[in-house]
Amino acid sequence: MIRRSLAALLAASVVLPVAARAADLEVTHWWTSGGEAAAVAELAKAFDATGNKWVDGAIAGSGDTARPIMVSRITGGDPMAATQFNHGRQAEELVASGLMRNLDEVAAAENWKDVINPPSLLEGCTLDGHLYCVPVNIHSWEWLWLSNQAFADAGVAVPTNWDEFVAAGPALEKAGKVPLALGQQGWQMSGLFKDLVLGLGGKDLYLKVYGDKDSDLAGGADMAKVFKALGDARTLAKGSNVQNWNEATAMVISGKAGGQAMGDWAQGEFQVAGQVAGKDYTCLAGLGGAQYITTGGDAFYFPALEDEEKSKAQEVLAEVMLSPETQVAFNLKKGSLPVRGDVNLEAANDCMKKGLAILKEGNVLKSADELLSPDTTTQLNDLMSEFFSTELTPEDAQARFAELIASAD
């Protein structure tokens, strides 16, 4: 691979695919925070440069809010031209029902199999031998974001792992800080729990529970340690009275909170705020424990359309989303890792470089969204939401978790 500086890469004269006739394509997604909006603007700019037009269909709220709206439109006969889903099985029923178009020809022409890394991303887009989506990034959940200022105010060193973070909780509280910023939504709490499973329990426990659906392990001693840590997290998060994930990130940015367990998309918020990784904030991959990342992230699916012009423009959009230039511009703003293994990210910050190093080592696992059905994911989110909003004991929560894993699909 010929390495070039980021500036040279972005300044290079690139011939992007141009549709025979311009078309307006509505693209739905749930990227509405500051960092997300900056990232999606890069996708829109790249598509508009082909002579077509990106019609932004942002839906406020989380994916849990947006997905039912997206699915309802597609099944109700009012499809958008392209729509975001997370990597995994969220669009499986839509694809099986014949409502999504395959991208086999585009993928073959653009040699996606040769450039997309890891290969499991394309496997997750494939059903019955046909490819139905464009993975645009790798988002990993396994991060603890820490405010250097909050720990300085509390007179304690910035933690290097989860146990040190828990131990610093009293000092943070004494200094008027919320130790752990956490939004009041089930998917955020469930994400924190999965961080603890992998970061404290390790790779084997994670894969056997979520992949093999081993309910004995889910109810066993190793998982009991994870649920104890979840109880610590609940204590640390008391006083975190925000709803959305980016509001929790803002607490860390402002120094009102010590830390937040959140995916690497939080980096976009730190960047918009002008903060510098390693100086203003610290990131711990795997909560400072297991150095693995999961292949969570975002992919775009393309509903089957009768309009020939828009169908051709869909192919152009698919190509543009995976062009090297777009991959660099988009992921630097989003805080995620590119899905192409042949792009130069010399401009990556300290935290992104940690993620790239883990990816280079091959320490990548499938996300829980790829291993569990949407129904099971919803049930687990509901359990975590109940745990953080009630006095449900870790022991009782673990017993119910094991039952859900036993019946998971």
Side-chain angles (χ1 to χ4, degrees):
M1 180 183 70
I2 298 175
R3 299 183 62 85
R4 295 176 290 173
S5 69
L6 179 64
L9 179 61
L10 295 179
S13 176
V14 178
V15 179
L16 291 174
V18 179
R21 294 179 61 186
D24 293 354
L25 295 188
E26 181 192 8
V27 185
T28 54
H29 59 87
W30 56 83
W31 288 328
T32 56
S33 75
E36 290 173 329
V40 76
E42 295 294 341
L43 296 180
K45 181 171 66 175
F47 183 59
D48 289 352
T50 68
N52 295 284
K53 182 174 178 57
W54 174 292
V55 179
D56 200 66
I59 300 173
S62 67
D64 289 345
T65 300
R67 279 189 295 272
I69 297 173
M70 296 166 174
V71 171
S72 178
R73 283 190 53 185
I74 296 169
T75 57
D78 181 31
M80 62 296 290
T83 189
Q84 171 194 9
F85 285 107
N86 293 126
H87 297 327
R89 301 170 59 183
Q90 293 174 354
E92 192 171 72
E93 292 184 7
L94 295 172
V95 171
S97 298
L99 296 172
M100 296 295 190
R101 63 169 295 179
N102 77 60
L103 302 170
D104 294 345
E105 292 185 5
V106 178
E110 297 296 309
N111 298 313
W112 287 358
K113 287 185 178 180
D114 295 330
V115 298
I116 291 181
N117 180 52
S120 61
L121 293 174
L122 282 184
E123 293 169 8
C125 287
T126 302
L127 186 67
D128 296 332
H130 296 288
L131 189 69
Y132 288 93
C133 70
V134 180
V136 295
N137 60 11
I138 301 171
H139 264 320
S140 51
W141 251 107
E142 296 73 33
W143 297 89
L144 181 61
W145 307 94
L146 304 171
S147 167
N148 291 358
Q149 184 61 53
F151 287 95
D153 292 345
V156 293
V158 176
T160 62
N161 56 50
W162 176 260
D163 289 340
E164 291 178 4
F165 177 67
V166 173
L172 289 167
E173 289 181 337
K174 186 177 180 180
K177 314 291 183 182
V178 175
L180 178 64
L182 180 65
Q184 304 304 299
Q185 295 171 330
W187 69 270
Q188 297 183 57
M189 298 158 180
S190 191
L192 166 60
F193 175 72
K194 287 177 284 192
D195 284 354
L196 293 169
V197 173
L198 183 55
L200 304 183
K203 171 186 175 182
D204 289 344
L205 180 65
Y206 175 88
L207 290 178
K208 288 178 180 178
V209 170
Y210 289 114
D212 298 339
K213 319 297 189 296
D214 190 326
S215 59
D216 290 335
L217 271 179
D222 288 339
M223 188 61 75
K225 297 176 183 178
V226 175
F227 273 90
K228 178 186 179 301
L230 190 69
D232 293 335
R234 181 169 62 183
T235 299
L236 294 171
K238 288 181 179 178
S240 179
N241 298 316
V242 295
Q243 185 73 7
N244 298 310
W245 70 267
N246 54 306
E247 294 172 322
T249 307
M251 292 176 66
V252 179
I253 291 172
S254 66
K256 294 179 180 178
Q260 177 192 25
M262 183 52 58
D264 55 9
W265 49 91
Q267 286 196 84
E269 303 304 301
F270 285 100
Q271 290 177 166
V272 168
Q275 295 211 335
V276 178
K279 175 185 176 184
D280 301 305
Y281 66 98
T282 297
C283 55
L284 299 181
L287 307 183
Q291 296 295 289
Y292 290 91
I293 59 174
T294 55
T295 52
D298 305 290
F300 280 86
Y301 288 76
F302 297 79
L305 302 177
E306 295 182 0
D307 187 306
E308 185 176 349
E309 288 180 27
K310 290 187 176 182
S311 294
K312 290 180 179 178
Q314 284 177 321
E315 297 176 3
V316 175
L317 178 56
E319 293 176 31
V320 166
M321 284 179 165
L322 277 181
S323 74
E325 295 74 25
T326 307
Q327 279 283 293
V328 170
F330 169 75
N331 284 291
L332 284 177
K333 294 285 180 66
K334 192 69 167 64
S336 47
L337 302 180
V339 299
R340 294 187 67 117
D342 60 348
V343 295
N344 182 4
L345 283 170
E346 291 179 358
N349 66 26
D350 181 65
C351 293
M352 186 179 285
K353 287 178 180 177
K354 290 181 181 179
L356 289 168
I358 294 172
L359 180 62
K360 184 177 180 180
E361 291 296 321
N363 294 337
V364 181
L365 308 175
K366 285 189 175 182
S367 68
D369 284 339
E370 296 173 274
L371 299 172
L372 301 172
S373 71
D375 286 342
T376 297
T377 298
T378 297
Q379 292 172 333
L380 293 174
N381 289 353
D382 290 344
L383 173 60
M384 291 300 130
S385 182
E386 181 180 350
F387 180 81
F388 275 89
S389 61
T390 68
E391 296 300 319
L392 184 66
T393 67
E395 293 78 14
D396 288 343
Q398 183 181 1
R400 288 174 54 182
F401 175 77
E403 291 175 359
L404 289 175
I405 292 299
S407 61
D409 57 355

